[in-house]
Amino acid sequence: MTVARQTARRPFRLLTMAPAVLALGALFVVPATTAVHKGDDFITPETTGVLNLEAGECFTDPEYSPAAGEEIVLYTPCDQHADNQSYGFVHADDGPYDRAGLAAFGWSRCERGFVHYWPGAAEGELSYYPILPTAETWADGDRDIMCVVYDPRGELAGSMLPRA
């Protein structure tokens, strides 16, 4: 085979290898994480484990537990891949259960604490949500709303509460 003919085949060989090289490169591309939004219906006090949490404690997102036969949240040290951190509780007044009014109250009061602890965090680095009483827990006397901070991009890097 002549040198001219060998040289002419090299670009063709490179083109046939391009899909394989691109496919291999795709294995090393880290997919972009999509931001997660957690609303006031993400977790309820009826989710197993929630009522055991105190202000300042971190916990997991709800996951189905085959042993428990239901979704549960687990206390997790804040520096060990926690998804959420409670930063306080607010107390609602007695009265008839009003989900919409309770949600408005919870978002408003939790926002006060959020802005106090993390001024300027609204640009997406942190967010918050309230955990509201349900009609059933309200009937049992539950008037507490838990305020929770989380990172919409993934797990918390540690405790989000400012050090005193």
Side-chain angles (χ1 to χ4, degrees), residues 17-102:
M17 293 175 40
V21 171
L22 290 174
L24 182 61
L27 293 175
F28 299 105
V29 175
V30 178
T33 44
T34 56
V36 174
H37 173 74
K38 299 176 182 180
D40 55 42
D41 58 352
F42 181 65
I43 297 175
T44 74
E46 294 173 352
T47 306
T48 300
V50 169
L51 297 178
N52 297 329
L53 299 168
E54 297 182 16
E57 291 185 330
C58 293
F59 57 99
T60 62
D61 282 346
E63 284 189 26
Y64 183 78
S65 166
E70 60 188 350
E71 285 200 337
I72 64 171
V73 297
L74 298 173
Y75 163 81
T76 304
C78 293
D79 61 351
Q80 294 182 10
H81 310 291
D83 298 306
N84 311 279
Q85 184 173 15
S86 169
Y87 63 89
F89 290 86
V90 294
H91 190 78
D93 291 333
D94 282 333
Y97 182 75
D98 171 16
R99 173 74 169 74
L102 194 57

Side-chain angles (χ1 to χ4, degrees), residues 14 25 28 60 95 139 155 161:
L14 290 175
F28 299 105
T60 62
E155 297 172 342
L161 289 172

